[in-house]
Amino acid sequence: MALLVHKYGGTSVGTIERIHRVADKVAKAKGEGHSLVVVLSAMSGETDRLITLAHEVTKHPDEREMDMLLSTGERVTIALLAMELRGRGIDARSFTGRQVGIITDSAHTKARIARVAADRIREALKQGVIPIVAGFQGINEQSDVTTLGRGGSDLTAVALAAALKADRCVIYTDVDGIYTADPNIVPAARRLDKISYEEMLELASLGAKVLQSRSVEFAAKFNVPLEVQSSFTEGKGTLVVKEDADMERVTVSGVTGDRNQAKVTIVGVPDRPGIAARIFGPIADASVLVDMIIQNVSQASLTDMSFTIPRADLPKATSLVKRIAKDIDAKSVAVTESIAKVSLVGVGMRTHSGVAAKMFEVLSKEDINIMMISTSEIKISCVIGEKHLQQAMRALHKAFGLDGKAPKS
Ligand code: ADP
Ligand code: ASP
Ligand code: MG
């Protein structure tokens, strides 16, 4: 008998019919004698719908109020599943983030978990009740509702699994595991039987939304046994595990793409010491995460500085950067949203050379221009035109030998 945390994502609870199927799975696990905690997302599309509503009310919605609004999506699904289970004679109870005691900082819409009390969950488990927990939400020290960033129900599940020392945290979703690339973009992608926390963290941070990156970070830190499975079909999924010796033999484990980036260029920046700090200091103070930075060769003591930021931060960043440009006597500011980042990830890159060169060659053969490059020990990313992303991902997937063979283990 094990203690399991099950998390069902938006598509898995997207209709009443699907909620019935989740109830079937929960009933089955209970029937097998397991103790179970269930974490749910809002119905698919609901969080987006709420965000659109907010923007119809005002251009820059207040972030505290945004969290109040967004947290409602998950309340709907937890109540419906608990009702359904109780209707079947299974003792289940729904709990909000506040009731679970998920305490976060006050960074509304992207709050970080500070601690998880989970007293009521332990109590429920002791009484044989199945707790059905609202994902994605917590409260700050003032008891204001916070949310954990998009995809944050994964984090709720992992954090609860860590707090309860669960035997396994299973993320049920609309694909049957973690693939060498998003199977909806690269049809030749293959399901992996296992992947290291480190590689999954890179993939998730670089755009593979099958797991929220913070949830992977948390799972690695607290050694949470994590698995991704399909909520629609039975069968094997993917285990996220500690790195083992096999993994280094494969140079590239996955290809991923990210469309949620934007590029900002400050044109005609005076090239003198201290300028970079004057540009990036205020941007960091505004909590805008800068990813890649490129400074062009200086001509006549003037240079161009380009950098990428999350697309969602563009409105905030543009007005700020325009102010900075004026302060430092730069000529102008140019902004483009039509970029994307394509990345290769693999722990094998530590021991294999030539990956970057091959990546550039593949992109060049596809006639795709590279605007920016960044590398770390186990990843290489290139910024390219957004319209080329799918083509780039497919070509790289093929060139690095990832196209469909027998599943890699
Ligand atoms: P949920 O609503 O269940 O949380 P998400 O939409 O957040 O589901 O994540 C599942 C999706 O992640 C898949 O439908 C797939 O398109 C996408 N995805 C991106 N990269 C990968 C990958 N490497 N392996 C599997 N799925 C991926
Ligand atoms: N409902 C939230 C979102 O759409 C959280 C989640 O689904 O994990 O981002
Ligand atoms: Mg998700």
Side-chain angles (χ1 to χ4, degrees):
M1 209 182 105
L3 172 60
L4 307 174
V5 175
H6 277 190
K7 178 260 173 177
Y8 294 89
T11 9
S12 313
V13 292
T15 61
I16 296 301
E17 173 51 35
R18 288 189 171 168
I19 290 178
H20 288 319
R21 283 167 56 184
V22 171
D24 291 342
K25 278 196 173 274
V26 172
K28 185 167 172 250
K30 178 153 172 92
E32 287 165 357
H34 300 303
S35 285
L36 206 66
V37 177
V38 179
V39 175
L40 297 184
S41 290
M43 287 178 157
S44 55
E46 178 62 7
T47 308
D48 289 336
R49 188 185 74 86
L50 294 170
I51 292 173
T52 307
L53 279 182
H55 284 105
E56 279 171 14
V57 170
T58 172
K59 211 167 153 202
H60 299 295
D62 179 82
E63 291 186 330
R64 177 188 179 276
E65 302 312 323
M66 194 65 155
D67 277 350
M68 189 66 98
L69 178 70
L70 296 189
S71 66
T72 61
E74 273 71 12
R75 291 178 82 123
V76 172
T77 50
I78 55 167
L80 290 173
L81 180 65
M83 280 174 198
E84 151 101 41
L85 289 166
R86 294 182 75 79
R88 295 185 189 197
I90 297 171
D91 210 353
R93 279 275 171 236
S94 60
F95 294 94
T96 62
R98 175 196 302 268
Q99 288 171 321
V100 174
I102 296 182
I103 314 299
T104 72
D105 64 14
S106 292
H108 284 290
T109 76
K110 45 186 171 218
R112 295 189 84 93
I113 294 181
R115 60 179 196 279
V116 177
D119 295 340
R120 292 197 64 183
I121 303 301
R122 287 193 190 89
E123 196 50 42
L125 288 170
K126 229 187 268 166
Q127 293 168 1
V129 175
I130 302 177
I132 314 290
V133 176
F136 179 52
Q137 55 181 262
I139 52 165
N140 65 11
E141 297 291 350
Q142 289 78 50
S143 291
D144 283 337
V145 179
T146 54
T147 62
L148 309 176
R150 297 308 304 269
S153 299
D154 297 337
L155 178 58
T156 306
V158 169
L160 262 174
L164 299 169
K165 300 198 170 44
D167 296 290
R168 184 162 293 187
C169 177
V170 189
I171 306 290
Y172 287 101
T173 183
D174 58 0
V175 283
D176 64 353
I178 298 161
Y179 278 67
T180 48
D182 184 340
N184 291 314
I185 299 177
V186 182
R190 287 178 294 125
R191 186 181 58 77
L192 300 162
D193 283 338
K194 61 180 180 184
I195 186 168
S196 68
Y197 288 115
E198 209 183 339
E199 285 173 318
M200 189 59 231
L201 180 58
E202 286 286 4
L203 284 175
S205 317
L206 295 166
K209 72 168 184 163
V210 61
L211 286 175
Q212 190 217 29
S213 60
R214 280 208 205 146
S215 73
V216 184
E217 204 179 339
F218 208 100
K221 192 164 165 198
F222 295 98
N223 261 315
V224 176
L226 186 60
E227 189 170 358
V228 175
Q229 281 198 18
S230 165
S231 63
F232 305 125
T233 56
E234 296 290 324
K236 274 172 123 185
T238 303
L239 287 169
V240 188
V241 292
K242 278 193 184 152
E243 187 180 329
D244 62 37
D246 284 358
M247 291 174 174
E248 284 224 344
R249 275 195 267 127
V250 184
T251 316
V252 173
S253 303
V255 177
T256 189
D258 184 0
R259 293 178 194 274
N260 294 316
Q261 300 275 311
K263 184 165 78 126
V264 179
T265 303
I266 312 181
V267 181
V269 176
D271 197 4
R272 55 170 194 265
I275 281 289
R278 283 184 64 186
I279 294 175
F280 293 107
I283 295 176
D285 291 344
S287 298
V288 174
L289 223 67
V290 173
D291 181 18
M292 297 190 198
I293 302 174
I294 279 196
Q295 184 177 350
N296 286 350
V297 180
S298 168
Q299 278 176 353
S301 305
L302 289 179
T303 178
D304 293 348
M305 186 86 86
S306 291
F307 52 94
T308 58
I309 57 168
R311 213 175 272 188
D313 286 334
L314 197 55
K316 176 159 87 173
T318 309
S319 47
L320 177 62
V321 173
K322 281 189 175 153
R323 237 178 302 137
I324 298 170
K326 214 168 153 202
D327 283 354
I328 60 172
D329 288 325
K331 283 194 175 139
S332 59
V333 175
V335 165
T336 165
E337 290 191 55
S338 55
I339 61 154
K341 188 163 65 173
V342 62
S343 308
L344 302 178
V345 171
V347 287
M349 284 187 206
R350 289 196 204 110
T351 43
H352 296 74
S353 57
V355 180
K358 184 165 169 182
M359 181 179 194
F360 305 153
E361 196 186 304
V362 172
L363 293 176
S364 126
K365 274 200 188 125
E366 296 288 324
D367 212 12
I368 296 172
N369 184 39
I370 301 172
M371 301 177 203
M372 289 174 162
I373 300 162
S374 90
T375 64
S376 78
E377 213 188 12
I378 66 161
K379 72 122 209 267
I380 302 174
S381 302
C382 292
V383 171
I384 57 175
E386 187 179 10
K387 62 176 190 241
H388 298 302
L389 182 61
Q390 174 170 308
Q391 180 194 352
M393 284 176 70
R394 290 182 180 178
L396 290 165
H397 195 270
K398 184 158 192 236
F400 281 90
L402 297 173
D403 274 11
K405 278 173 265 164
K408 193 190 110 182
S409 56

